Amino acid sequence: MKLQDFDYNLPKELIAQKPKVPRDSSRLLVFNRENHAIEHRRFFNIIDYLEKGDILVLNNSKVFPARLIGKKVGTGGKIEVFLLHNQEQKIWQCLVGGSVRQENLAVQFLQGLNCKIKKNNNDGTWLVEFNKNKTELMKIAERIGQVPTPPYIKKLPAGVKQKYQTVFAGADKVGSVAAPTAGLHFTKSLLKKIKRKGVQIEYVTLHVGLGTFAPVKVDNIKKHKMHSERTEVDINTMQKIARAKTEGGRVIAVGTTSARALEGIAARPALELLGQLCPGETKLKTDIDIFIYPGYKFKIVDALITNFHLPKSTLLMLVSAFVDNKNNRRGTSLVKNIYQTAIKKKYRFFSFGDAMLVI
């Protein structure tokens, strides 16, 4: 399966630069996998497609200001250090911007923060050692860091720190360097209405990192290596999901990150996961690096709420796999047809764009 199979042309004016207000007023394209019918609705109409006994699964990870702008010690040149993942107390996996990047380069930031670039990981990332531990660094990042919005958003909207965050992000779930964007469409009011209908709402935590947004650079997509992302799922949530499926309920994943968390957990032997639990713990904590592309057979997810994704991205590959209900590898052509319809109807694309429901 070739990378080119997941390419498409998108007019630049359809790349959303700011979210809709209110959030649930965005448009919603509904695709039925059985008959390939397409409907055009508003996101608040999502409730019409949910039924009592269904389980709606959302990713409650919270985005933090991961983009740090500093100066190179010695030259004073500007440099960006983008926090990805904490390896140890003071060691982070980072992206480092600029043309001059080298080991032992020292960088100074505001608030007494500094770092030294320690090692090139040769995968696009660097190991960086800071002078502050994780807790101290996160507090400073909240003060001086920039919201890690994607580069295609040219002018940040007012209040972007709140707008690029789901309304259900957990205060104790800080860890994502990009928003789980399908969740941005939900309002607290809409979630209350969904609950009143008898739909169970459950949460998983997948801290969005390179595994979600790293580009695919190989022509044969099967050779792409997914970066792992920290994931946490409560055992009670998995038990509720198992019970709902036996009783005829559906599991609706909100976003590709929720889908990957669920399918990644399902792919791991139960005894292996349970063996990681300490006495009294109920949360499964593991690293997920599952790569889903056409031909994959979903084990848990029955319906998917998602945004319109970048060409050649792993997110688009996952959606292509999911729309292929009969598992005959026609997902790429189906998604291209869906996306062409969305372009013709002038849907808004990417992080702040419109949504799609695949049932």
Side-chain angles (χ1 to χ4, degrees), residues 56-71:
L56 187 72
V57 182
L58 305 108
N59 181 6
N60 63 2
S61 181
K62 187 173 184 177
V63 181
F64 71 100
R67 183 174 283 123
L68 303 176
I69 307 299
K71 292 182 179 180

Side-chain angles (χ1 to χ4, degrees), residues 1 222 293-296 320-321 324-334:
M1 193 163 291
K222 294 181 180 180
Y293 52 86
Y296 177 83
S320 298
D324 186 6
N325 193 33
K326 302 189 186 309
N327 201 32
N328 57 13
R329 303 198 179 212
R330 289 188 55 211
T332 52
S333 60
L334 290 172

